């Protein structure tokens, strides 16, 4: 089993305030991994550190044995919906076409085959009929599916998604998780920031439980126990029981 992600002694802070403290773990290829933990635990920060989108204070991150700079085109990132400018005037199909650009190179125009592939990716997420709409005209779930289609269009080895199920309808959520599981089953590595514990054990086969420090990492059966979860959530919900987190 090849190592997909390796993080060693990672420290990140914002203006002197600590966000991640000495985080180390490795993820093998072909896993669907949930990053869970309370609000402000550093989940998004960890994702951005893996992608070199923020500067780290200390530590080492490797993607498939190389630096993220070398692997940039092999990795797709779906940011949190709230961080995307939905007023930007771009159609659904053009948003997906952007996903093919890492493979195209900057100065090449998309070919017919790229457009056909972008459409195929939109069909996969079930919203090809909206391809000529502006992205701002879609519902939250449809927008999330467009960004998943864009990630698929990139044909990466790894997918990183930040809170893809927030503000999303049930059909979109089911479509997205089904596709993520399919990607995992064909050997891709998929990492998802997810704050809602209720479905975490259905959705993921591995979990990273974070609260500034790494509380636990590994198979769902190992991490998703009242004892382990309590270590991350005790300050937030002193009375939390196994029933409340729906184990
Ligand atoms: P999570 O995604 O788990 O909710 P974040 O990674 O977004 O947590 O944030 C971790 C901590 O870092 C929080 O205390 C948050 O307020 C802080 N933080 C995140 N981004 C910034 C930023 N750009 N500037 C300053 N502080 C930040
Ligand atoms: Mg976050």
């Amino acid at each position: 089993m090849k190592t997909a992600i390796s993080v060693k002694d990672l420290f990140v802070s914002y203006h002197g305030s600590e966000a991640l403290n000495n985080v180390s773990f490795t993820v093998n290829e072909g896993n669907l991994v949930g990053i869970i933990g309370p609000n402000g635990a550093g989940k998004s920060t960890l994702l951005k550190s893996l992608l070199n989108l923020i500067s780290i204070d200390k530590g080492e991150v490797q993607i498939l044995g190389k630096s993220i700079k070398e692997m940039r085109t092999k990795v797709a990132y779906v940011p949190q919906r709230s961080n995307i400018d939905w007023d930007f005037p771009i159609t659904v199909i053009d948003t997906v076409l952007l996903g093919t650009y890492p493979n195209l190179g900057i100065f090449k125009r998309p070919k017919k085959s790229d457009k056909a592939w972008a459409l195929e990716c939109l069909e996969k997420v079930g919203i090809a009929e909206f391809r000529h709409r502006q992205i701002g005209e879609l519902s939250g779930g449809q927008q999330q599916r467009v960004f998943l289609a864009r990630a698929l269009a990139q044909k990466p080895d790894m997918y990183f998604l930040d809170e893809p199920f927030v503000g999303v309808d049930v059909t979109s959520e089911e479509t997205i998780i089904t596709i993520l599981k399919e990607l995992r089953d064909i050997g891709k590595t998929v990492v998802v920031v997810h704050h809602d514990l209720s479905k975490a054990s259905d959705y993921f086969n591995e979990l990273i439980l974070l609260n500034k420090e790494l509380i636990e990492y590994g198979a769902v059966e190992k991490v998703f126990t009242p004892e382990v979860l309590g270590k991350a959530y005790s300050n937030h919900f002193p009375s939390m029981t196994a029933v409340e987190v729906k184990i």
Side-chain angles (χ1 to χ4, degrees):
M1 188 66 75
K2 257 170 83 178
T3 301
I5 302 166
S6 154
V7 174
K8 276 192 206 133
D9 311 325
L10 177 65
F11 289 79
V12 180
S13 59
Y14 297 101
H15 318 295
S17 160
E18 172 187 272
L20 291 175
N21 179 357
N22 202 15
V23 171
S24 302
F25 62 90
T26 58
V27 174
N28 285 332
E29 269 190 317
N31 283 300
L32 176 47
V33 185
I35 302 179
I36 58 171
N39 199 11
K43 303 183 293 296
S44 298
T45 300
L46 177 58
L47 211 63
K48 288 176 193 164
S49 310
L50 297 177
L51 292 158
N52 195 34
L53 296 173
I54 54 172
S55 62
I56 65 174
D57 296 340
K58 220 175 100 181
E60 193 188 11
V61 174
Q62 285 199 329
I63 302 292
L64 294 166
K66 295 186 177 160
S67 77
I68 180 65
K69 283 178 189 159
E70 291 170 274
M71 299 303 286
R72 206 176 47 82
T73 61
K74 303 281 182 202
V75 167
Y77 172 49
V78 179
Q80 227 170 318
R81 265 188 59 242
S82 55
N83 293 342
I84 296 169
D85 177 9
W86 297 105
D87 294 328
F88 190 78
I90 185 168
T91 63
V92 167
I93 189 77
D94 283 347
T95 305
V96 179
L97 259 175
L98 283 176
T100 64
Y101 283 14
N103 302 323
L104 276 176
I106 297 171
F107 298 108
K108 289 187 192 150
R109 297 184 130 252
K111 295 192 295 260
K112 232 180 178 176
S113 58
D114 296 315
K115 290 184 182 166
W117 169 237
L119 185 58
E120 211 177 296
C121 294
L122 268 181
E123 277 162 1
K124 176 90 186 152
V125 302
I127 44 172
E129 63 188 293
F130 299 137
R131 62 187 173 279
H132 298 306
R133 290 215 189 153
Q134 300 287 312
I135 48 168
E137 294 171 353
L138 303 184
S139 73
Q142 291 163 344
Q143 289 173 340
Q144 196 70 62
R145 286 195 264 166
V146 171
F147 273 74
L148 177 56
R150 186 182 71 157
L152 294 169
Q154 197 184 325
K155 297 183 183 164
D157 294 328
M158 264 187 233
Y159 294 79
F160 293 91
L161 299 91
D162 199 342
E163 303 275 12
F165 306 119
V166 170
V168 157
D169 58 282
V170 176
T171 309
S172 293
E173 178 155 350
E174 282 171 1
T175 305
I176 293 165
I177 192 64
T178 302
I179 292 172
L180 297 183
K181 285 181 177 176
E182 282 172 19
L183 290 169
R184 185 256 324 265
D185 293 344
I186 60 167
K188 306 285 182 183
T189 308
V190 185
V191 180
V192 181
V193 169
H194 184 70
H195 78 278
D196 175 14
L197 289 183
S198 67
K199 301 215 180 101
S201 59
D202 296 334
Y203 282 4
F204 308 109
N205 63 285
E206 292 200 338
L207 292 173
I208 294 170
L209 177 61
L210 208 60
N211 195 3
K212 292 191 180 178
E213 297 173 8
L214 183 79
I215 307 293
E216 189 64 271
Y217 166 70
V220 165
E221 301 75 40
K222 178 169 120 187
V223 181
F224 207 72
T225 69
E227 292 76 26
V228 176
L229 290 171
K231 289 185 200 168
Y233 286 91
S234 56
N235 295 336
H236 293 254
F237 307 109
S239 65
M240 193 181 74
T241 63
V243 175
E244 283 171 298
V245 298
K246 295 188 187 135
I247 291 179

